[in-house]
Amino acid sequence: IFPFGPSSVRKCKLNGFSFDTAMAQLKAIGCNTVHGYVRLGTPECEEFVAACARHGLLTMLETADRKSVGAARDREIADNVARMRNRGVMLAWVVGDDTANYRTPEEVMRDTMVCRAADPTARTISVDVVTYEGRHYPYAHACDAVCPELYPFRNETPEPDALEKVVLNQRNAINDNRRAGAIGKGLLPVLQAFSGWKEWKRYPTYDEVRGQTYAAIAAGARGITYYSYYSSDEAHNLCIATRPDKFEEFATLAREVNALSPDLVERDAKDQPTVTVVSGPKAALGGTPSIICLLKESARGEPLLMAVNLAADGVRAEFRVSCGFTCAQVISEDRTLQVADGVLVDAFDHGATHLYRLMHGGRP
């Protein structure tokens, strides 16, 4: 699967203070994964997990109380994993949140080993900021996947380098895994769909949330989560479920990603397009090439090409693909472009995302 869904799913006004309603709403718009801050072994957790099971959603939960240590923590983790391992809902166990601030690599590895002792199929994840290369490096072998927190929209006015930061910070985690020899580890970024928490002044626009999503996928993500579904501090933090209009924006994106999920679980194509910027800046402010793109393989012969403009201004770009394609349907935009001699040309506004279905035959 391609894991996709929000973090911090809580009872709130939008779902009628019901986990069952929350899971039904999220499933209906195309989500398959949710994260929750519920204490394992409590009635609230049982209610949360039962709702996930009823609606066919996977979840990520913390292994134990954050304050528990030593042998008591080992027992708590083992009991929790044993209790949950046959419930059919666990995607992964969270063994660290803002990990490098609070936990040593040895502590994280110990939690992972206890999880696997209780359930050999258990997978563990570390959630952490990765604003510099080397932060995740000591933890690369301590867990099965890293969830880099990528929250680039801080200012009240738009930041021209925000989408580039998503790519650069995600690559910090990828490079740490590579340097540690942990190449096969998973990457499940947490993207920004909130404002508040004092530091983040502005909720990203729909186009910015969409741009984050496909830029992260093009940069190597194998699933996407979003912070945050809801916050207990509703007065100061705006989240996906705080207002109906924000939920509807998220729903539009979730339906699009869900429709593309058969493509997203395909392998990356061996031969990726060559991109040439014919007008506009050739690089983003941090030096990253303006256009980041990814072509997926396709069993039916109509592959998906994702492209995002990371530059601070609009660009016009050429994509050199296989000469066998004659046109490209632009998904969610109601337009079709010609592919002439293996070249697709399109214009991108600042921060724009275009998704192309490459096709044989047909006329634009």
Side-chain angles (χ1 to χ4, degrees):
I1 69 167
F2 184 86
F4 181 89
S7 176
S8 188
V9 175
R10 304 172 188 261
K11 295 179 180 180
C12 63
K13 184 178 179 180
L14 185 76
N15 57 45
F17 300 96
S18 164
F19 282 138
D20 195 63
T21 301
M23 304 310 176
Q25 290 172 341
L26 292 170
K27 183 70 173 182
I29 65 174
C31 296
N32 58 25
T33 302
V34 295
H35 165 269
Y37 289 109
V38 290
R39 176 80 181 275
L40 285 158
T42 64
E44 182 186 39
C45 181
E46 286 300 312
E47 185 183 352
F48 182 93
V49 170
C52 287
R54 274 193 296 273
H55 297 284
L57 292 169
L58 297 175
T59 189
M60 300 175 285
L61 300 172
E62 293 193 44
T63 54
D65 187 280
R66 295 186 184 185
K67 296 179 181 179
S68 63
V69 295
R73 182 178 181 84
D74 293 347
R75 287 192 298 272
E76 185 179 356
I77 293 172
D79 289 345
N80 287 333
V81 173
R83 184 186 304 112
M84 298 292 295
R85 63 187 176 191
N86 294 322
R87 303 289 290 275
V89 299
M90 290 306 304
L91 177 69
W93 292 98
V94 180
V95 291
D97 195 337
D98 293 337
T99 308
N101 289 349
Y102 304 107
R103 310 208 66 210
T104 67
E106 292 76 18
E107 289 172 331
V108 173
M109 175 63 83
R110 184 180 181 91
D111 283 4
T112 292
M113 293 174 68
V114 174
C115 284
R116 290 176 182 164
D119 178 7
T121 69
R123 295 293 180 264
T124 60
I125 58 174
S126 165
V127 184
D128 206 355
V129 294
V130 284
T131 50
Y132 61 88
E133 193 169 314
R135 180 178 171 91
H136 174 65
Y137 177 77
Y139 298 85
H141 290 285
C143 51
D144 296 301
V146 58
C147 297
E149 295 174 292
L150 309 172
Y151 308 151
F153 301 98
R154 292 177 177 267
N155 300 330
E156 293 179 352
T157 55
E159 302 92 327
D161 60 345
L163 289 181
E164 184 186 23
K165 287 179 179 178
V166 168
V167 173
L168 291 176
N169 289 343
Q170 183 170 290
R171 285 176 176 168
N172 288 339
I174 294 172
N175 290 339
D176 279 352
N177 278 341
R178 286 175 176 166
R179 287 196 304 119
I183 297 174
K185 299 291 184 177
L187 186 73
L188 187 70
V190 191
L191 304 182
Q192 182 180 349
F194 70 86
S195 61
W197 283 271
K198 297 182 180 180
E199 297 180 45
W200 291 273
K201 309 299 183 185
R202 182 174 64 90
Y203 196 105
T205 66
Y206 171 78
D207 288 338
E208 288 169 335
V209 177
R210 186 172 184 252
Q212 287 181 93
T213 301
Y214 293 105
I217 295 170
R222 292 298 178 259
I224 299 289
T225 56
Y226 299 86
Y227 197 82
S228 173
Y229 174 84
Y230 192 74
S231 166
S232 55
D233 187 357
E234 184 179 359
H236 299 96
N237 304 329
L238 176 59
C239 306
I240 291 169
T242 308
R243 295 199 324 230
D245 61 320
K246 293 305 176 187
F247 187 82
E248 285 306 311
E249 285 183 0
F250 178 71
T252 299
L253 178 59
R255 293 185 184 103
E256 180 180 80
V257 173
N258 179 265
L260 295 174
S261 59
D263 299 282
L264 299 178
V265 297
E266 293 279 1
R267 293 181 182 274
D268 298 350
K270 181 178 179 181
D271 297 319
Q272 291 293 316
T274 301
V275 184
T276 302
V277 174
V278 295
S279 65
K282 291 181 168 51
L285 295 177
T288 308
S290 295
I291 299 292
I292 184 170
C293 69
L294 178 67
L295 179 67
K296 304 294 287 188
E297 288 185 355
S298 172
R300 65 179 183 176
E302 295 182 348
L304 172 69
L305 172 61
M306 297 166 275
V308 182
N309 178 18
L310 307 178
D313 204 348
V315 302
R316 187 171 180 82
E318 293 181 349
F319 301 85
R320 184 164 294 279
V321 297
S322 170
C323 290
F325 299 111
T326 59
C327 64
Q329 176 190 2
V330 190
I331 296 170
S332 300
E333 295 187 41
D334 193 26
R335 61 191 179 104
T336 304
L337 301 177
Q338 184 178 5
V339 179
D341 298 323
V343 176
L344 167 68
V345 182
D346 204 1
F348 292 74
D349 291 336
H350 163 63
T353 300
H354 296 318
L355 310 174
Y356 307 100
R357 176 73 65 198
L358 300 180
M359 305 174 72
H360 304 273
R363 299 180 61 184

